[in-house]
Amino acid sequence: MRVPSTVTVGLGLAGLLTAAVPAVATPQQTGGRDAAATQRQRLVWGPCSEAQTELRAAGAECAKVAVPLDYADPGGRTIRIAVSRIKAKDPAERRGILLSNPGGPGGAGLANTLALRPALKDVAKHYDLIGFDPRFLGESSPVRCAPAGAPQQPGAVTTPRKDFDASVRSARDTARRCQEHGDNAELLPHASTRNVARDMDAIRAALGERRISYYGVSYGADLGAVYTQLFPRRADRVVIDSSTDPAATQYELFQRAGGPLEEGLDEWAGWTARHHDRYRLGRTGGQVRAHVQKLLDGAERRPVAVGGLRLNAPVLRLILRQLVQHQESDAGLAAVVRDLVDAAAGELTEPGPELTSFLQLLNSPDLADSMVGGALFMCGDGGWPAGGWPKDPETYWRNSVHSRATQPVFGPFVNGMIAPCAFWKTEPREPGVDIRNDVPVLMLQARRDNNVPYEGALALHRRLTGSRLVTADIRSHGVYGRDLDGHRPVPCADDAVNDYLRDGTLPKRDVTCADAGTAR
């Protein structure tokens, strides 16, 4: 299980107005900014790097695609985008290329399309499966920041304001470490979702393809929508899973997740109450929630000591946030809360495996550095899908305090999550992307997604006037191929995706899957 930092968790980790959209909207054009993407280049294919064990085992080949650092200056400095390829088995049945993105922002994706192959089933043979690391991530001209150093432990005694001030210092330090290191000041202004979409089109051109088919989840879903807006005639069969409201800033998306997170916690509390004999956290949902609140209230005064670490309330909220996303994690969340309650009372002898996995990650000296990628795009975007962060730290603090009345567990988390963008020295080069087009798109969304709430997907659905929406009535972030993560699959959604990628036919109308069920 990968635990994002308090900066990147929830993006959509993202969470998430509705506006009237014409029946057919006119896509915005990119002008000369995609000029370099239309130029063919000769790729040199070879074995993937030693680090790409899954790709090497699958017999994939890898190459680098040269793209402009600045698409407004196509003849200037270039960077190299790492690309992987697994060719379609039968050239006679080959449809084209299928790209993907795993989300984030900040997620490397060189092996991501390969990882989808079990879910794609027979569809995989119709496509060259193309993976890529977005610019500045993984093996794509990666940006490095100055080392963060060892994680700083909170003191034995704290307050909510002290915890918040520590997060402000951390965000300011991340901005400094990244912007002042090497030639990052020249590179970072070009870390944007628009440019990742342009890089995707450069990959298309380098491969000699007319169009791109695509699957993206979370931030990757929003990236797919951006591609349809910038390159509407080059989008083939596009699937976006768990998307957000294109009228919102990234900070607003975080904030909007607060209510659904509380609802998800209510659902979990009800499940845990039915298993009181095992977890001893209460026989009603209210009693279970009272244990959680007491745990957080105590940690806001004295962080919980466990496994050689002190866990303050923001870290506890992060752990809760990660585990409440999926209904299949209810047992794991109950076990973690039981351990934390015991640890707070000085009665825990040894943490269970679920809490231990978090402690190991939180104690990793590389954790802060591994999360820098998300900050690059959040600070480089001029608005949706990843940008739009207030500059005044007090805005986050005030919103955090006000949220406690109605969102006592998660309000302080989603409102007080200050990003390094508050201290970024450079402004985004371009505005956020305005989505208004009629490109055919298949959308997937979990109705009880508390990471990117359902209303956000409905808002994007209205903007993508050619789209169809498949809804699964589950608590989950991500709908397609859930069994790849050990979760209960939604066959109706999986079939809709594979049918579309195979045959190119969207459902005649929006679909609600009756087979989603609940994993209990």
Side-chain angles (χ1 to χ4, degrees):
M1 179 184 298
R2 178 176 178 268
V3 183
S5 74
T6 54
V7 171
T8 59
V9 73
L11 282 184
L13 250 174
L16 310 276
L17 291 161
T18 62
V21 180
V24 177
T26 302
Q28 63 194 51
Q29 301 301 317
T30 58
R33 288 182 178 268
D34 66 332
T38 65
Q39 300 173 7
R40 289 289 303 277
Q41 53 185 290
R42 184 176 180 275
L43 301 185
V44 179
W45 294 97
C48 299
S49 68
E50 293 289 340
Q52 300 296 333
T53 54
E54 295 89 354
L55 286 169
R56 292 172 69 92
E61 51 188 353
C62 286
K64 296 289 182 70
V65 176
V67 302
L69 170 66
D70 182 356
Y71 278 88
D73 182 18
R77 180 176 176 178
T78 61
I79 57 176
R80 287 156 58 85
I81 305 300
V83 178
S84 67
R85 179 174 69 179
I86 298 176
K87 289 185 177 181
K89 287 186 176 181
D90 186 351
E93 296 184 3
R94 180 182 180 276
R95 165 71 192 179
I97 58 173
L98 177 66
L99 279 70
S100 71
N101 181 276
L110 198 59
N112 190 65
T113 316
L114 167 64
L116 295 173
R117 190 159 62 173
L120 292 166
K121 300 178 181 177
D122 68 298
V123 173
K125 68 182 181 182
H126 297 290
Y127 291 90
D128 289 354
L129 304 181
I130 307 297
F132 74 102
D133 285 341
R135 58 172 50 204
F136 307 139
L137 304 174
E139 299 182 16
S140 292
S141 298
V143 163
R144 308 293 187 196
C145 299
Q152 295 296 310
Q153 288 260 24
V157 178
T158 188
T159 67
R161 182 69 205 206
K162 284 184 179 180
D163 291 338
F164 175 76
D165 288 343
S167 71
V168 172
R169 289 193 297 271
S170 177
R172 182 183 285 111
D173 181 65
T174 298
R176 179 193 57 78
R177 290 189 298 106
C178 289
Q179 294 200 299
E180 297 178 3
H181 187 70
D183 64 345
N184 287 357
E186 179 183 356
L187 299 174
L188 294 181
H190 306 289
S192 71
T193 303
R194 285 176 181 264
N195 281 338
V196 175
R198 291 171 179 136
D199 293 344
M200 288 169 54
D201 203 60
I203 293 170
R204 175 203 61 77
L207 293 174
E209 299 289 333
R210 291 180 57 251
R211 304 173 80 187
I212 283 176
S213 291
Y214 176 85
Y215 169 82
V217 62
S218 194
Y219 167 81
D222 295 342
L223 171 62
V226 169
Y227 187 84
T228 68
Q229 189 67 33
L230 269 59
F231 304 100
R233 291 180 294 277
R234 297 171 192 164
D236 192 5
R237 298 171 184 176
V238 175
V239 181
I240 60 176
D241 186 344
S242 306
S243 51
T244 66
D245 182 351
T249 67
Q250 183 55 247
Y251 180 59
E252 289 169 342
L253 298 176
F254 271 85
Q255 290 179 293
R256 293 180 189 182
L261 282 166
E262 298 286 344
E263 293 170 2
L265 193 69
D266 285 339
E267 186 179 319
W268 164 80
W271 180 91
T272 304
R274 295 193 294 273
H275 297 81
H276 173 73
D277 291 346
R278 179 174 181 182
Y279 300 108
R280 299 172 288 111
L281 289 171
R283 296 187 181 277
T284 68
Q287 290 173 347
V288 174
R289 282 203 60 135
H291 272 290
V292 173
Q293 196 62 54
K294 181 179 179 182
L295 176 68
L296 292 172
D297 291 345
E300 288 185 330
R301 298 187 299 272
R302 294 184 180 275
V304 178
V306 57
L309 296 175
R310 285 195 292 266
L311 309 182
N312 60 14
V315 171
L316 296 185
R317 287 185 165 98
L318 167 62
I319 294 173
L320 296 172
R321 168 71 183 77
Q322 289 302 100
L323 288 173
V324 80
Q325 288 185 81
H326 299 283
Q327 56 198 38
E328 290 86 355
S329 299
D330 282 355
L333 177 52
V336 165
V337 172
R338 179 69 264 170
D339 280 355
L340 290 170
V341 168
D342 289 343
E347 298 173 355
L348 182 66
T349 55
E350 183 177 355
E354 298 89 355
L355 181 55
T356 297
S357 66
F358 279 96
L359 296 175
Q360 290 171 344
L361 286 165
L362 292 168
N363 201 36
S364 169
D366 301 322
L367 179 62
D369 292 334
S370 70
M371 299 303 170
V372 164
L376 303 186
F377 290 92
M378 290 191 296
C379 302
D381 271 3
W384 188 86
W389 295 88
K391 289 293 187 181
D392 183 3
E394 291 305 308
T395 298
Y396 300 85
W397 172 249
R398 287 193 301 270
N399 291 341
S400 173
V401 171
H402 293 160
S403 71
R404 287 174 177 265
T406 56
Q407 300 169 12
V409 173
F410 294 110
F413 180 78
V414 298
N415 287 276
M417 193 185 308
I418 186 168
C421 314
F423 308 103
W424 224 241
K425 294 180 180 179
T426 56
E427 294 297 323
R429 295 291 182 92
E430 299 179 87
V433 181
D434 182 20
I435 301 292
R436 296 179 186 273
N437 68 66
D438 62 351
V439 175
V441 172
L442 181 63
M443 299 181 64
L444 309 176
Q445 196 82 12
R447 192 181 299 278
R448 305 199 305 279
D449 191 330
N450 52 50
N451 194 325
V452 291
Y454 188 65
E455 289 74 15
L458 294 178
L460 182 61
H461 183 30
R462 286 188 283 269
R463 297 286 189 96
L464 293 170
T465 59
S467 65
R468 294 292 183 271
L469 175 62
V470 176
T471 298
D473 192 11
I474 54 177
R475 174 162 43 96
S476 174
H477 183 53
V479 175
Y480 179 65
R482 297 184 80 243
D483 52 333
L484 300 180
D485 294 322
H487 298 155
R488 181 179 179 179
V490 184
C492 153
D494 290 351
D495 291 347
V497 173
N498 290 346
D499 289 348
Y500 178 51
L501 292 175
R502 183 191 303 109
D503 304 325
T505 303
L506 286 171
K508 292 182 179 180
R509 59 186 62 86
D510 292 346
V511 175
T512 296
C513 291
D515 57 8
T518 55
R520 291 291 185 269

